[in-house]
Amino acid sequence: MNTKLLGSSLIIAGTALGAGMLAIPMVLAQFGLLSGSLLMLFIWSGTTYAALLLLEASIKVGGGLGMNTIARKTLGKGGQLITNGLLYALLVCLLMAYIIGAGDLLQKLVTGFGLELSMLHSQIIFTVLAGCIVAAGTGVVDKLNRVLFIIMIAVLIITLAALIPGMSFNHFFEATNTNNVDLIKTSAVLFTSFGFFPVIPSLVSYNKKATHKQLRNMVLLGSLIPLGCYLLWLYAVVGSLSAEQLIKFDNVSVLIDALSSRFVGIHIILSIFTGLALLTSFLGVAMSLFDQNIDLFRKNRLVTYILTFILPLLGAIFAANQFLSVLSYAGLILVFIAVFIPMLMIRNIRKSAQTTSDNVYQVAGGAGAMLMSLFFGCFLIGAQLI
């Protein structure tokens, strides 16, 4: 795998890795490591298969910078409209969340240097600067993301090295909740933590000269990296804090404070990791929306820049309170756009069989795997409704 493909895998991993990583131990620790790990592997396998379906669709229709072209060619005008509506709702919501979080981090960072910066100005500055990086193109995002991801992994290794000496293996076998329904409810958090699918069409276009096997390996590696990070972090936190402690925490900052009280410097390290994870996720999601707008509106990069970032920024500034209540429904949108729509695309493509001889890539598993993916999507919806 060349550096361009490796960088693309890191974009996939960076888009997935976010604040959800810090929340995973709080939602899974009460069920014990075995049950939590098995559920995470199940969610990862279903999400990765759905991502490979989108990859197959991107390859067979000849790509396109965003899902707009793929949806139009595979689902028709009606499917194109529904896909675009769901995708915009999801990406705008996610970008609003990242702008709110990044604005808060930037304000605290500047305050630490003795300067005054309002939340409004923090959000605007972050959006303008990060937006310029995205508008510069996938190549620029790729190179910057490589640096950020290396730093992020280094920070994670330092954190794990600090936690390991104080870990208790007795905690690994603790389970304060054996209710399977409660375990299933955590699926929404895990599924969102692997939400890297929007970047796939952009990366297919970015790696035009790559073989189908290389593109497949790019997606697999990009999904395996966050899986490994999530599992390592889960084991480290569960080994450091008891299940009774973890279930009492109601937000990530309390978890960080608890670890900081036992391990000097962890608070600063985890704050750096959170900031980097937020930035890499923002770059991946913003790149997807930017390319989607280029694909849909066919405007120059300046107009596309404004179209991409004006609505998320306005939402973060004026509708933050309303947004937080709507965000809980983002998981449902993600199920449809990340699981069901790629399935429909592939179903139509394989039925029509109107592919050229060089477009022969097909995800393994056939009809049986497609049926399992359908059950996976229904499972996720049920997990969010119960």
Side-chain angles (χ1 to χ4, degrees):
M1 181 178 286
N2 58 41
T3 55
K4 192 173 181 181
L5 283 164
L6 178 60
S8 299
S9 292
L10 296 183
I11 289 177
I12 291 173
T15 304
L17 281 172
M21 177 171 175
L22 299 179
I24 283 175
M26 295 190 298
V27 298
L28 288 183
Q30 59 185 305
F31 304 103
L33 278 182
L34 178 60
S35 297
S37 298
L38 289 176
L39 180 62
M40 189 183 298
L41 287 170
F42 170 70
I43 299 296
W44 168 81
S45 62
T47 306
T48 302
Y49 178 79
L52 290 173
L53 290 178
L54 180 57
L55 174 66
E56 179 182 338
S58 299
I59 292 173
K60 286 186 173 178
V61 303
L65 286 174
M67 288 186 69
N68 173 65
T69 295
I70 304 171
R72 176 172 53 81
K73 291 183 177 181
T74 59
L75 302 177
K77 291 291 183 66
Q80 178 188 16
L81 182 63
I82 294 173
T83 299
N84 286 340
L86 291 173
L87 186 63
Y88 272 97
L90 176 66
L91 296 183
V92 169
C93 280
L94 291 176
L95 288 182
M96 284 172 62
Y98 296 145
I99 291 171
I100 292 170
D104 182 53
L105 287 175
L106 181 60
Q107 185 183 42
K108 290 179 180 178
L109 178 64
V110 171
T111 301
F113 288 99
L115 301 175
E116 290 290 333
L117 191 65
S118 69
M119 177 61 73
L120 173 62
H121 290 153
S122 299
Q123 292 175 348
I124 293 175
I125 291 172
F126 171 79
T127 305
V128 170
L129 294 180
C132 288
I133 296 171
V134 173
T138 305
V140 175
V141 174
D142 176 17
K143 292 177 176 61
L144 176 60
N145 185 77
R146 294 181 204 179
V147 176
L148 295 176
F149 201 87
I150 290 172
I151 297 173
M152 188 164 60
I153 293 299
V155 170
L156 178 61
I157 292 173
I158 293 171
T159 305
L160 295 175
L163 294 178
I164 287 174
M167 289 171 56
S168 171
F169 289 97
N170 292 330
H171 292 168
F172 289 164
F173 305 100
E174 294 179 354
T176 59
N177 190 341
T178 58
N179 189 318
N180 290 329
V181 174
D182 289 342
L183 175 62
I184 290 173
K185 288 179 180 179
T186 67
S187 299
V189 175
L190 298 178
F191 178 59
T192 305
S193 299
F194 289 105
F196 56 81
F197 85 96
V199 301
I200 291 176
S202 298
L203 295 178
V204 170
S205 296
Y206 180 53
N207 294 280
K208 291 179 180 179
K209 296 182 180 180
T211 66
H212 298 166
K213 183 178 180 180
Q214 288 176 323
L215 291 172
R216 180 203 64 192
N217 292 340
M218 172 193 76
V219 174
L220 291 176
L221 177 60
S223 68
L224 280 169
I225 292 173
L227 174 66
C229 291
Y230 291 148
L231 289 174
L232 287 173
W233 176 245
L234 175 64
Y235 295 161
V237 173
V238 169
S240 302
L241 301 170
S242 67
E244 288 81 2
Q245 288 177 285
L246 287 167
I247 61 175
K248 294 177 182 177
F249 300 156
D250 56 1
N251 59 62
V252 172
S253 61
V254 178
L255 170 62
I256 295 177
D257 290 340
L259 292 172
S260 301
S261 65
R262 297 182 57 187
F263 307 100
V264 179
I266 289 292
H267 191 282
I268 296 175
I269 294 173
L270 290 181
S271 296
I272 294 173
F273 179 88
T274 302
L276 291 173
L278 189 151
L279 181 54
T280 56
S281 295
F282 176 90
L283 291 175
V285 173
M287 181 186 71
S288 303
L289 184 57
F290 189 89
D291 287 346
Q292 172 77 0
N293 284 332
I294 287 182
D295 189 25
L296 181 61
F297 298 110
R298 307 289 178 178
K299 300 295 183 180
N300 61 50
R301 301 191 81 81
L302 176 60
V303 174
T304 305
Y305 174 91
I306 296 172
L307 290 172
T308 301
F309 297 107
I310 188 65
L311 185 58
L313 178 59
L314 290 175
I317 294 173
F318 298 110
N321 293 333
Q322 291 82 354
F323 161 73
L324 293 175
S325 62
V326 174
L327 187 60
S328 59
Y329 298 101
L332 283 174
I333 299 175
L334 185 58
V335 174
F336 283 96
I337 195 72
V339 179
F340 292 134
I341 286 180
M343 283 181 56
L344 289 173
M345 290 176 174
I346 293 303
R347 175 180 173 275
N348 290 346
I349 289 174
R350 293 180 183 177
K351 279 182 63 179
S352 66
Q354 295 176 353
T355 58
T356 59
S357 58
D358 60 340
N359 286 331
V360 295
Y361 175 73
Q362 181 165 313
V363 185
M370 290 278 283
L371 183 61
M372 291 299 296
S373 187
L374 175 62
F375 288 147
F376 176 69
C378 294
F379 169 83
L380 291 173
I381 291 178
Q384 295 183 63
L385 294 180
I386 59 176

